[in-house]
Structures are given as structure tokens and as C-alpha cells.
Amino acid sequence: MSAARPPEAAQHRSAQHEGSALNTLKQLTALLLGLLLAWGGAANAQTLPDKSRDKTLGVVTCASSLCHGSIAGWNGSPVTQNEYVVWSRLDKHARAYSLLLNERSRRIAANLALPQPAHHSRICQDCHAHNPVAAAPAHSVADGVSCEACHGPATRWIAAHTEPGATHRSNIGNGLYPSAEPLARAKLCLSCHFGTSDKYVTHRIMAAGHPRMSFEMETFTSLQPAHFKVDADYLQRKGNFDGVKVWAIGQAVAVATQIDILLDPKRGRDGVFPELTLFDCHACHHPMADTRWKPVGNFGRSISPGLVRLNDSGMLMLRLLLRQTDPPLGERFGSAVAQLNQAMAGNGDLGERALAVKTLADEAARRISASGVSNDNLRAMALALVDDGLAGAYSDYAAAEQAAMALGSLVNTLHKLGQLKSAAALNKGLADLRAALRFDESFKPVDFQARLRTFRPLVATPLATR
Ligand code: HEC
Ligand code: HEC
Ligand code: HEC
Ligand code: HEC
């Protein structure tokens, strides 16, 4: 059985060379901390764009060359104004709908016996396009994941947002989605890249031919071709934008979302089985001759041989980062996860224990949103990731994949902060880790461990000069 494809997206990730704006950025970061605290959590309860009752106007409304469709960015405008060009030419979201017309989508639709072709089916349109509650005639689902799919239906803010005196905050008041706020952004991206109770790539859809979903907020944020620039002006208008914070909140929101699906009476089950995508794909999808089960150390993950493991890779990451940033919460979360894994094996009340994990994940998201992740913790976190791996924590593909993406985010940030030096050595180290993840079905935990051992000195040595 062929289960999943390798994380292509993550393959492209590498440490970047820092720009000269770094120092200004650091100073501003400090200055704006207060502002940031004010933002954190401000808009948590914001309605997602496709659930908003406001009317969607359509990409044409944003695309004029005087607005967001300029070929080159304009000097003197706080935003680049070439957003439409970047999106339509480079961003995969612009072609998300047209994918629904390809051979693979036709096969998925046929295998599922959908009454309509994929591009006319709501279950596909809901993620591969902006499918809003109300729309003006100029809006077309064929535009794919459009501006308003992320920034919210524009009817109430379109005129006001270019008026003198308009601020980001006033725009949000008029229905602009707060995509600059990490918690709100995580909910937005994950609504399509993980799914919600309303739209979800089930195991049936995957078995019909849909790729496995692989996502990590920070990695995907930097992979999306940027149509905005985080410069001094941006920081002043919108506050700090910190890679590790984005990673951390992404993990917390992903865990909470996974539990929502698990506990949803409609989504969490499919016939006599639970929804299989909530479990480790490779618990089932591996050759029987490959007898590889062994106890997994002290990570609260291990249940007995022959049981289907929950995909707890996000929980493993969240536990690790909380242990570094908020040890008491990390301990509580770790034991809640261990108890959930026990309950999955029949020891304890599943609903109760799953809710306990979700409550703590929500609390973690709120805390990280309010206070961020201190730069002092980053190296310790990267080392803990490596050392957990050396102790055998990443016995499954999903966990190793999350660990590699997390290391990418952390190492990038450490490099930007000047705490790790040689981009070339770091990039090679990250590429070596990813090479072990290229083919999920032939993933060898021992091989990944060996690469982690080689990687360790790169993060262990302060200000490494290699
Ligand atoms: C919960 C949201 C969601 C739903 C529902 C969904 N998709 Fe997807 N689909 C995605 C995302 C996100 C990706 C990209 C995965 C990645 O690259 O990490 C994707 C990828 C794909 C791809 C592969 C694209 C490529 O670049 O090769 C195809 C084909 C596809 N989807 C078709 C469909 C069809 C057909 C349906 C309806 C039966 C559907 N999808 C339903 C979110 C969704
Ligand atoms: C997949 C989601 C997504 C899509 C699609 C998208 N954006 Fe964005 N956009 C973002 C994110 C994330 C940011 C950065 C956070 C922020 O500033 O709100 C952003 C930022 C912006 C900014 C703010 C720049 C600044 O300096 O403040 C503008 C303007 C913008 N986008 C316009 C557009 C336009 C126009 C389109 C369509 C052509 C578009 N976006 C499509 C996610 C998206
Ligand atoms: C309305 C649904 C939707 C939302 C919201 C959304 N995406 Fe996507 N995204 C998709 C789909 C569908 C694809 C697959 C397109 C393809 O493969 O061509 C995709 C593809 C991507 C890719 C390309 C992945 C690859 O394999 O190359 C990146 C990066 C990405 N999204 C990042 C983000 C980020 C960051 C956010 C939040 C700011 C976001 N997306 C929000 C639906 C969405
Ligand atoms: C509890 C066991 C189990 C888990 C967990 C599981 N699957 Fe499956 N999967 C199956 C079974 C059983 C089939 C049906 C096999 C058949 O028809 O021969 C299947 C079929 C598939 C197929 C179609 C294979 C074919 O022969 O066409 C794909 C693709 C797939 N699964 C992907 C996944 C992905 C991706 C995950 C994780 C997100 C996953 N599965 C998790 C048991 C599982």
C-alpha cells in the first residue's frame, strides 16, 4: 500500500543569509513588545473568511494596477502593491482550483463516486478555492485561494482601507481578517492544511488519491512566496513577527484541531473505525515482514505492540517546546498526552483525556501568543529536539518529519540572531536530515538517528565558526 508522499515543501527549506536590516529589526522587536502584547489574543474569536457573513467581492476588485496589481512595488506606499502579481504568478494558492480539473482530481472524484466532477464539488472547492457564504457576481471560485480567502470578504473594508487615517486595527474592525496575528493566522492556514469539522481530507479521500497532508506553520509561512515585506514600517503597523513563535503557536493550534476532529461525533468516526487520518499512517502502511516494533523510551508515546498509534507528532513537539519555555505546563501537557495514549489503548476515558489535552493546548496557544518564545530558549530547544531523537523519540515518520521541520525553523532563527554562524554547514546538515525523510515508506529511524548525531555539533557549539 502506498501511503504518503515525502514532504516536498519542506525539502526546499534552508537557513537564509541575514540582511543588514537585522539590527534595526532587533531593536524594533524590543520596542514593540508592548504593542505586541496588546495585539496578542485581540482577535482570537475572529470568524474565518469562508464563514463570514460579509460579501466577497472577487480578486478583480483587488487586482487593478493602481491597487494591488502593480508590476513592481511602488515607492511611498506602505505595502508593495504588487501582491496580485506575486500571488497570480508564483503562489500555488492561485492555481489551487485549477488542480481540481487535472487527472488526479478526476480519479479522486471517480473513486469517491462524487455526483459532480471535483471542480463542482463543495468538498473540494471548500479548500481549493474561496467558497464564501455571500458573494458579488464578480467573485469566482475558479480564482482559487484568493485574496479574500485569507484577508476576509472585503465588502465592509474595501473603501475604508485606503482612506486617510485608516489603520490596521480599523480595517480589522471592518472585517479584515487579522492574518498578522499568529494565533489567528494559524487557525486560518490550518483550516485548509489540516482541516476542520466542516472541511476535512478524510482517509477515504486520501485512499481515493489525495496526498497526505503535511504542514508546519513556520516552514509553510516562509515557503509561501512573500507578497508582503516585514520591514520597519510593517513592524510599526502590525507588531513583531517571530518565526519560532509562529512555529510554536502552529503546533498548539494543530493539536487542538486534531482533538476537535477526534471528538467530533460526525468526523471522528467512519463506520466501525475511528477516522484513520488521526493515526500514524505508517502504523498500518508498512510491510508485515518489517518487524520493527520496540518500546519507545520515556516519551509517553509507547503503547503495546499491535495497536494503532495516534499521530501524536504535533503533541510531541508541543511537549518539547513547553518543557523549555514553561516547564510546569510542559509537565502537565506531557502527562496528559501519555494518558491520552493510554486511553487510546483502552485504559481510561478517551473523551475526558482528549479534552484535557485540548484544554492545555489552548492554554499553551494563549500563553505563547501573549508572551512569545524567548530567544534564550532557542538553542536549548534545538538541542532537546536532537537529544530526544537520539534517545529514540522519533520512531515514526510523522514525528521525524515534524522534528526536521522544527529544527529548520529553529536553526534559521538562531542563524538570523547571529547565534549560529555558517549557513552552508547548517544547510547541509538540514539537507542531510531531510534526505532521510525523502521516501516515507522506506524511512529508517536508525538512519535518521545517525544523521541527528552528525547534526548535533552544529547546534551545540556556541557561535560555531565552521
Ligand atoms: C481540508 C482541505 C482540503 C480538502 C477538503 C481537499 N483538499 Fe486537496 N489539497 C489540500 C491541500 C492543503 C493540498 C496541498 C497539500 C500540500 O502540498 O501540502 C491539497 C492537494 C491536492 C492535490 C495535489 C496537488 C498537487 O500539487 O499535486 C490534489 C490533486 C487535490 N488536493 C485534489 C482534491 C480533490 C479532488 C478534493 C475533493 C475530493 C480535495 N482535494 C479536497 C486541501 C484540501
Ligand atoms: C494564503 C493566504 C493569503 C492569500 C491568498 C493572500 N494573502 Fe495577503 N497576506 C497573507 C499573510 C499571511 C500576510 C502577512 C500578515 C499580514 O500582514 O496580515 C499577508 C499580507 C498582505 C498585505 C499586507 C502587507 C503589509 O505590508 O501590511 C497585503 C496588502 C496583502 N497581503 C494583499 C493581498 C492580496 C491583494 C492578495 C490577492 C492577490 C493576497 N494578499 C492574497 C496571506 C495571504
Ligand atoms: C482556503 C484554503 C487555504 C488556506 C486558507 C491556506 N491554504 Fe495554503 N494551500 C491550499 C491548497 C489547496 C494548496 C495546494 C495548492 C497546490 O498544491 O498547488 C495550498 C498550498 C500551499 C503551499 C504550497 C505547498 C507546496 O507543496 O509547495 C504553501 C507554502 C501554503 N499553502 C501555505 C499556506 C499558509 C502559510 C497559509 C496561511 C497564511 C495558507 N497556506 C492558507 C489551501 C489553503
Ligand atoms: C488503522 C490502519 C490505517 C491507518 C492508520 C491509515 N490507513 Fe490508509 N489504509 C488502511 C486500509 C485498511 C486501507 C485499504 C487497503 C486496501 O484497500 O487494500 C488503506 C488505504 C489507503 C490508501 C489507498 C491504497 C490503495 O491501495 O489504493 C492510501 C493512499 C492510504 N490508505 C493513505 C493513508 C494515509 C496518508 C494515512 C495517514 C494519514 C493512512 N492511510 C492511515 C489502513 C490505514
Side-chain angles (χ1 to χ4, degrees), residues 42 44 61 69 112 151 158 181 196 209 225 237-238 275 296 304 336 365:
N44 295 349
T61 318
L112 292 170
H151 294 295
I158 187 80
E181 202 257 292
T196 64
R237 286 181 291 119
K238 297 188 168 171
E275 170 53 54
V296 188
S304 84

Side-chain angles (χ1 to χ4, degrees), residues 78 109 244 365 397:
V244 174
Y397 182 82

Side-chain angles (χ1 to χ4, degrees), residues 5 95 99-100 105 123-124 127-128 192-193 201 210-211 213:
R5 65 169 195 157
R95 52 151 218 169
L99 283 176
L100 298 179
S105 291
I123 54 165
C124 311
C127 291
H128 285 264
C192 293
H193 284 273
V201 179
H210 198 281
M213 305 286 259

Side-chain angles (χ1 to χ4, degrees), residues 386-406:
V386 173
D387 289 340
D388 279 5
L390 293 177
Y394 317 133
S395 53
D396 57 314
Y397 182 82
E401 181 189 43
Q402 281 297 330
M405 289 196 272

Side-chain angles (χ1 to χ4, degrees), residues 1-4 203 206-207 212 276-277 279-281 284-285 308:
M1 284 186 283
S2 160
H203 186 256
M206 285 187 191
R212 183 178 68 94
L276 298 186
T277 52
F279 296 85
D280 174 16
C281 314
C284 300
H285 291 281
V308 186

